[in-house]
Amino acid sequence: MRISGNTVFIPGSTSGIGLALALALQAKGNTVVIGGRRKQLLDEITAEHPQLGAVQIDVSDPASITAAAQQVLADYPDLNVLVGMAGIMQVEDWHRPESFLESAEAVVTTNVLGPIRLIAAFIEHLQTRPDATIVTVSSGLGFAPLKVTPSYNAAKAAVHMLTESLRLQLADTSVELKELVPPSVATDLMPGQRESTFAMPLDQFVTEVIDILESAPDAKEILVERVKFLRYGEARGDYDDVVAALNAADPHAEG
């Protein structure tokens, strides 16, 4: 993936990593279209940042994805990069079904079916572009679990393996697969996460991501240094220590 000259659609980019990444990519010379559920918020963001395009989309709703894809492709026919940023994370207690089942279904719908449906909506178009990229978004928690977020951990592990599989299957096309693997980042994904000393500052994370995209355009995984502790625990042979440290350090680990 080249660092500039792309047309990029980022569903789930009205806040946090998604919005920061959208602005950073736009500053590098890309046409960037943000996506989110709330039209008023999209309007507020584009009023503040008129260089951004915006399309309303709810990745938990198949009809919304279809409608958004039609609008994006009509308005931005040069689209060649799709970044599946939308996701939710919820604390769950799996001792009783009433305290996890509804949450688990919502997490899987948004974090697993969402990317699948997004790819389905854009894959034929992307194959017509000479240089196209799908960026999936997994998590360090797809490689080492936080005990209070079982569905989120599982969903992100699924995104990792989906990406690995599609990279093989689409090797005969012009579509490249990249996997962004964030650590805990100071956003509002979970209550208190923005203020957590355990979380990586958002600006530092996005700066490092852009640096990786620029310096290693062929990298299959976008790994900031901070996430490698989680990503490579099994390979290093200290997985149990990684899991223990993760659950001791994270403010949501006790609950």
Side-chain angles (χ1 to χ4, degrees):
M1 175 182 166
R2 61 183 186 269
I3 192 62
S4 62
N6 302 292
T7 301
V8 185
F9 180 42
I10 313 179
S13 52
T14 54
S15 64
I17 293 174
L19 181 56
L21 185 60
L23 293 171
L25 287 171
Q26 193 281 327
K28 283 291 182 179
N30 299 284
T31 298
V32 180
V33 184
I34 62 171
R37 292 177 297 168
R38 291 182 289 165
K39 184 178 186 303
Q40 180 178 347
L41 183 55
L42 291 170
D43 290 344
E44 291 172 0
I45 293 170
T46 53
E48 184 177 355
H49 305 284
Q51 70 275 23
L52 296 176
V55 170
Q56 192 170 8
I57 183 171
D58 179 353
V59 300
S60 69
D61 180 355
S64 177
I65 292 174
T66 299
Q70 292 172 349
Q71 182 180 347
V72 170
L73 295 179
D75 295 345
Y76 301 92
D78 292 333
L79 178 84
N80 69 313
V81 178
L82 174 66
V83 183
M85 183 61 66
I88 59 174
M89 183 180 188
Q90 298 186 27
V91 170
E92 298 166 350
D93 178 357
W94 279 57
H95 290 90
R96 300 172 304 281
E98 61 270 19
S99 60
F100 74 84
L101 186 55
E102 183 177 353
S103 166
E105 290 175 348
V107 168
V108 170
T109 297
T110 297
N111 295 12
V112 180
L113 291 179
I116 289 172
R117 290 166 174 162
L118 279 170
I119 292 169
F122 287 96
I123 190 61
E124 291 182 322
H125 167 81
L126 291 173
Q127 289 178 83
T128 70
R129 307 306 302 162
D131 183 14
T133 304
I134 296 171
V135 181
T136 60
V137 182
S138 63
S139 168
L141 299 184
F143 301 93
L146 185 63
K147 72 177 182 180
V148 297
T149 56
S151 298
Y152 183 85
N153 307 338
K156 292 305 185 178
V159 169
H160 168 68
M161 193 50 64
L162 176 67
T163 310
E164 291 285 296
S165 304
L166 292 182
R167 186 179 295 115
L168 296 173
Q169 192 169 120
L170 298 176
D172 60 347
T173 75
S174 60
V175 182
E176 174 188 14
L177 270 293
K178 285 187 177 295
E179 180 182 349
L180 175 60
V181 189
S184 178
V185 178
T187 69
D188 294 322
L189 182 62
M190 290 274 281
Q193 187 167 324
R194 181 181 292 274
E195 294 78 27
S196 171
T197 57
F198 184 72
M200 184 175 183
L202 177 59
D203 57 345
Q204 292 181 18
F205 173 73
V206 171
T207 296
E208 193 170 345
V209 167
I210 294 296
D211 288 345
I212 293 169
L213 289 172
E214 198 160 18
S215 63
D218 296 326
K220 296 176 180 179
E221 294 182 0
I222 305 168
L223 300 168
V224 299
E225 285 300 318
R226 195 151 172 173
V227 82
K228 293 178 181 178
F229 173 70
L230 303 176
R231 173 66 179 90
Y232 295 126
E234 283 191 304
R236 288 191 309 265
D238 61 355
Y239 175 79
D240 289 344
D241 293 337
V242 169
V243 172
L246 169 66
N247 285 277
D250 193 281
H252 303 291
E254 299 300 330

